[in-house]
């Protein structure tokens, strides 16, 4: 979790993330990586949406900088964890954040059920 950053004021809900990972076995590490990175994607997408909504250009820029790294995250780049459709969606979210287009960012946030995942 330490290498997957979160926006200021956010902390990982460790127990909740552990409970969503698969039982012990070969895939537990992958499930754990996915849960951590999905939480972080939700947090950063939400931070971007909040900053965009409030006109906070600095906040949107901070979130965009991290969103631009999503394609390299294991939960997206590893073919065992995501397919090309996911990589295509994430690439469109990166471009959307960089160009101020709420639609794809909101689509990711809603599609990942981020309000639930973040406990909103």
């Amino acid at each position: 979790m330490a290498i997957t950053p979160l926006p200021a004021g956010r902390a990982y809900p460790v127990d909740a993330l552990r409970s969503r990972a698969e039982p012990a076995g070969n895939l537990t590490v992958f499930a754990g990586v996915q849960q951590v990175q999905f939480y972080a994607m939700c947090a950063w997408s939400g931070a971007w949406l909040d900053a965009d909504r409030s006109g906070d250009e600095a906040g949107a820029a901070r979130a965009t900088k991290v969103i631009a790294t999503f394609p390299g995250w294991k939960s997206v780049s590893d073919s065992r964890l995501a397919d090309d459709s996911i990589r295509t969606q994430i690439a469109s979210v990166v471009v959307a954040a960089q160009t101020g287009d709420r639609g794809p960012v909101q689509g990711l946030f809603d599609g990942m059920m981020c309000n639930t995942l973040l406990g909103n």
Side-chain angles (χ1 to χ4, degrees):
M1 286 182 273
I3 61 171
T4 306
L6 290 175
R10 282 271 178 204
Y12 284 104
V14 175
D15 291 337
L17 295 175
R18 280 189 185 133
S19 73
R20 289 196 275 287
E22 297 178 27
N26 285 346
L27 298 178
T28 301
V29 171
F30 295 125
V33 166
Q34 279 185 313
Q35 289 304 313
V36 166
Q37 291 183 349
F38 287 175
Y39 184 88
M41 284 182 191
C42 284
W44 283 109
S45 298
W48 187 93
L49 290 165
D50 290 346
D52 181 66
R53 185 178 305 109
S54 68
D56 176 4
E57 292 180 15
R62 278 190 302 277
T64 297
K65 185 175 179 180
V66 178
I67 289 169
T69 69
F70 287 2
W73 289 11
K74 190 174 193 77
S75 61
V76 176
S77 64
D78 190 319
S79 62
R80 295 170 292 185
L81 303 176
D83 63 18
D84 286 339
S85 69
I86 299 300
R87 284 185 280 283
T88 299
Q89 180 186 19
I90 295 300
S92 74
V93 168
V94 170
V95 170
Q98 291 169 334
T99 60
D101 180 3
R102 289 183 63 83
V105 181
Q106 187 72 57
L108 177 70
F109 189 87
D110 294 343
M112 290 181 67
M113 300 187 319
C114 290
N115 273 324
T116 300
L117 189 59
L118 296 173
N120 296 344

